[in-house]
Amino acid sequence: MAMNLLAKARAYEEEYGRLISDLERPSYHISPTVGWLNDPNGFSYYDGKYHLFYQYNPYSTQWDTMHWGHLVSEDLLHWKRLPAALAPDQEYDCAGVFSGSGLMAPDGRHLLMYTGVQIVDRPDGGREDRQVQCLAFGDGTDYVKYENNPVITPEMLPEGGSTVDFRDPKIFRDEEEGCYYAVVGSCTREEGGNVALFRSRDIFHWEFVSILDRSEQRYGYMWECPDYFRIDDTDIILISPMKLSAEGLEFHCGNNAAYLTGNYDREKHTFERKGIFSLDYGIDFYAPQTMTAPDGRRIMIAWMQTPETRHSQPAGIKWFGQLTVPRELTVKEGRLLQRPIRELEACRRGRVFYRDVLLNGHAGLAGLKGRCVDMTLRVRPAGRSLYRLFSVRIAADDRHYTSISYRPGDSMLSFDRSFSGLNHYIVSDRDVHVGYREGEIKIRILIDRFSVEAFVNDGEQALTFTIYTPQEADGIFFETDGAALLDVEKYDMVL
Ligand code: DQQ
């Protein structure tokens, strides 16, 4: 059975993946070989290459029994598709090979740690998931599951730990201690989501250490896809909390992606939280995962969709689900900054540059159009009076546009994709407060065929959303209420 499911998935993606032309896909964002993609998994550097796996159902564009798809790259930019890495072919993972992480094992093999899901009988006669943490080892292409899986079971959690919601191990090595830790997403009925910490000396035998942080019924009932890392002197935990209630403009209702800042006490294994913030103020961003590049950069990548928008698919699409561009993370004044990886700049072609363009009303500029674009806008008041509104419309034609608008009077940035061609009744607009700089704002916008990622004021905030506007809609226009000066630097992205 073991070989069959993986061999079947590999044969399927080989046969049907080739039927999808490059033009039907995003140009510089990752999409599945065929079928469905969700969370990034196993993001790691192994044997001189970046490896990136993803939650994968090759057989349809809907979420179903999860496999792991696989890509490899030397520069985080050009990705080569490899055959599917894991299939749900064991008793303990037959209902899905859920999310997890990757690392080089002590013996030099590539180690994947993932959640195995099985459906079991409940004492009351019902059926429910049972989620356990498992290992697989490989050479960078082929992986074999560990014969003594699972290595972490929910019974190792303190009393009240869920056997149903216990998933997404992120493994990391503590060089000083010479051991391994894994953070795992979990929850209790009383407190909601939490992050559980486990430790191992040899990666095979694990012990529960502590609960690092918890929702206390304020930030969602379950925390998925946790990650932990330290940048400068700040400890950061990433979480994907499920079913949050909106809080101001920071969190929206439903599934969010958030980060916790604070201090991790390495002796007591406690985390003292200082802040909790949204990771992305757009609509389609979930389940991020990070890795450390060989040069020390902390790089994050995320699923560019959320569970809520998973059914809003254009008719006839042969793939569904994209990943964001990899983003470099740094910390400034206790907050994360996110910038697209610098490697992306190698794709820039055909520079168009304008300085000090006086805008007052509606304007288009020669050379500004495109659906695979990296464009930076700098806007500021023209003279002493403050403009009331600046707006850029992208992916525009006479029926469609997607807009990003800034109102300096109340430091509000808004985007709206209502006219991007999707005919589903889904959330299409969002507002976010941005830092006030005397009416100045800088926005870097990455447009790909099916998405927009905006980075505000050098990465202080990011907003990500998908668009399925017809590709012919490639106009870029500006609109102001009041006079403003604009600098534009725009490149076509050619991979
Ligand atoms: N997706 C995976 C889970 C994870 C969720 C299943 C987050 O492991 O918790 O496809 O999107």
Side-chain angles (χ1 to χ4, degrees):
M1 175 180 165
M3 277 314 293
N4 289 347
L5 279 184
L6 187 60
K8 185 177 157 213
R10 287 179 165 193
Y12 188 91
E13 59 181 6
E14 168 73 19
E15 182 173 352
Y16 292 99
R18 66 176 73 231
L19 303 181
I20 308 176
S21 73
D22 285 351
L23 283 176
E24 290 174 89
R25 294 181 176 281
S27 133
Y28 57 99
H29 287 79
I30 287 169
S31 58
T33 302
V34 59
W36 163 275
L37 162 155
N38 56 295
D39 318 348
N41 292 158
F43 193 20
S44 51
Y45 192 77
Y46 174 73
D47 200 18
K49 292 193 174 77
Y50 295 96
H51 285 259
L52 184 56
F53 303 79
Y54 54 87
Q55 289 284 280
Y56 184 32
N57 173 26
Y59 304 113
S60 91
T61 60
Q62 300 295 331
W63 187 94
D64 207 337
T65 318
M66 285 289 109
H67 296 57
W68 277 32
H70 190 187
L71 301 147
V72 78
S73 171
E74 284 175 14
D75 59 3
L76 291 167
L77 197 57
H78 299 87
W79 291 95
K80 182 176 162 215
R81 295 180 185 281
L82 291 183
L86 300 174
D89 52 15
Q90 303 292 324
E91 197 180 347
Y92 53 79
D93 64 16
C94 60
V97 178
F98 274 20
S99 285
S101 47
L103 202 72
M104 189 168 83
D107 64 4
R109 288 181 293 168
H110 196 199
L111 161 68
L112 305 179
M113 188 175 203
Y114 70 92
T115 299
V117 186
Q118 186 184 2
I119 306 212
V120 295
D121 292 328
R122 272 199 320 247
D124 67 2
R127 310 262 291 155
E128 66 183 17
D129 274 15
R130 173 175 168 79
Q131 304 194 338
V132 294
Q133 317 317 323
C134 307
L135 305 177
F137 296 91
D139 60 1
T141 305
D142 296 308
Y143 294 81
V144 175
K145 293 174 185 170
Y146 176 46
E147 65 268 24
N148 293 325
N149 275 340
V151 293
I152 302 179
T153 64
E155 289 69 29
M156 294 160 72
L157 287 167
E159 210 183 321
S162 171
T163 55
V164 178
D165 289 309
F166 179 48
R167 54 184 175 269
D168 313 331
K170 175 74 196 295
I171 186 172
F172 53 95
R173 182 170 161 77
D174 185 316
E175 292 296 345
E176 273 176 48
E177 270 188 67
C179 69
Y180 295 85
Y181 284 94
V183 282
V184 186
S186 180
C187 63
T188 65
R189 204 184 290 272
E190 294 70 35
E191 293 185 328
N194 66 41
V195 177
L197 182 69
F198 291 83
R199 176 175 45 209
S200 173
R201 303 253 157 235
D202 61 3
I203 65 172
F204 299 110
H205 302 90
W206 290 84
E207 59 177 335
F208 171 80
V209 179
S210 65
I211 297 293
L212 284 180
D213 202 356
R214 39 177 65 79
S215 159
E216 285 165 321
Q217 293 299 6
R218 178 164 174 188
Y219 299 110
Y221 86 93
M222 164 67 188
W223 287 359
E224 298 190 305
C225 301
D227 198 345
Y228 161 79
F229 50 90
R230 187 175 173 82
I231 298 183
D232 301 331
D233 289 331
T234 308
D235 291 303
I236 310 267
I237 294 176
L238 306 188
I239 52 171
S240 291
M242 300 179 80
K243 294 200 181 151
L244 236 69
S245 304
E247 291 208 6
L249 295 179
E250 194 62 31
F251 298 112
H252 55 81
C253 291
N255 290 20
N256 285 239
Y259 68 98
L260 317 170
T261 58
N263 292 316
Y264 170 56
D265 185 319
R266 295 169 55 96
E267 305 295 315
K268 299 190 195 123
H269 301 293
T270 52
F271 180 79
E272 189 200 337
R273 189 200 309 160
K274 285 193 185 146
I276 174 166
F277 307 101
S278 199
L279 260 176
D280 191 284
Y281 296 86
I283 292 175
D284 298 306
F285 185 99
Y286 197 64
Q289 185 169 99
T290 71
M291 58 95 63
T292 317
D295 61 8
R297 285 177 296 165
R298 178 61 61 169
I299 313 240
M300 175 177 76
I301 192 162
W303 179 27
M304 196 154 56
Q305 204 73 48
T306 68
E308 282 96 350
T309 53
R310 69 187 187 275
H311 296 303
S312 51
Q313 305 186 4
I317 198 160
K318 297 174 198 142
W319 58 269
F320 189 71
Q322 307 168 74
L323 300 181
T324 63
V325 293
R327 301 177 182 180
E328 293 177 16
L329 299 182
T330 50
V331 168
K332 187 179 138 200
E333 292 159 13
R335 299 287 294 261
L336 274 182
L337 295 187
Q338 301 176 44
R339 294 192 182 93
I341 45 155
R342 58 198 72 166
E343 285 85 344
L344 267 187
E345 288 159 30
C347 298
R348 291 167 159 183
R349 301 281 182 279
R351 180 174 189 254
V352 177
F353 183 65
Y354 288 92
R355 169 165 285 162
D356 293 336
V357 180
L358 179 63
L359 296 176
N360 203 345
H362 183 80
L365 296 171
L368 279 198
K369 63 174 191 162
R371 283 295 288 272
C372 299
V373 162
D374 180 351
M375 176 170 73
T376 300
L377 309 175
R378 288 186 186 80
V379 188
R380 57 195 174 282
R384 272 192 296 188
S385 63
L386 196 58
Y387 58 97
R388 285 165 292 283
L389 174 82
F390 164 82
S391 185
V392 55
R393 289 185 173 193
I394 54 182
D397 63 11
D398 51 5
R399 273 190 72 194
H400 306 98
Y401 68 87
T402 290
S403 64
I404 300 177
S405 308
Y406 175 55
R407 291 196 301 273
D410 53 7
S411 297
M412 188 78 85
L413 191 82
S414 311
F415 74 83
D416 187 356
R417 62 161 179 194
S418 304
F419 306 101
S420 66
L422 267 181
N423 56 3
H424 298 85
Y425 187 56
I426 53 170
V427 173
S428 285
D429 54 346
R430 192 144 276 157
D431 298 324
V432 54
H433 281 298
V434 296
Y436 184 69
R437 295 191 161 82
E438 314 294 329
E440 287 199 28
I441 190 162
K442 180 175 170 191
I443 315 173
R444 181 169 170 195
I445 306 173
L446 298 180
I447 310 171
D448 201 342
R449 296 186 180 114
F450 307 102
S451 67
V452 181
E453 288 173 84
F455 299 87
V456 184
N457 293 333
D458 296 307
E460 287 180 1
Q461 274 143 324
L463 295 88
T464 303
F465 45 100
T466 56
I467 54 170
Y468 291 93
T469 322
Q471 298 301 315
E472 306 75 57
D474 64 354
I476 298 175
F477 301 102
F478 304 102
E479 182 97 38
T480 61
D481 179 2
L485 287 178
L486 169 72
D487 300 342
V488 187
E489 185 172 15
K490 178 245 166 191
Y491 298 87
D492 292 320
M493 295 296 274
V494 181
L495 197 60

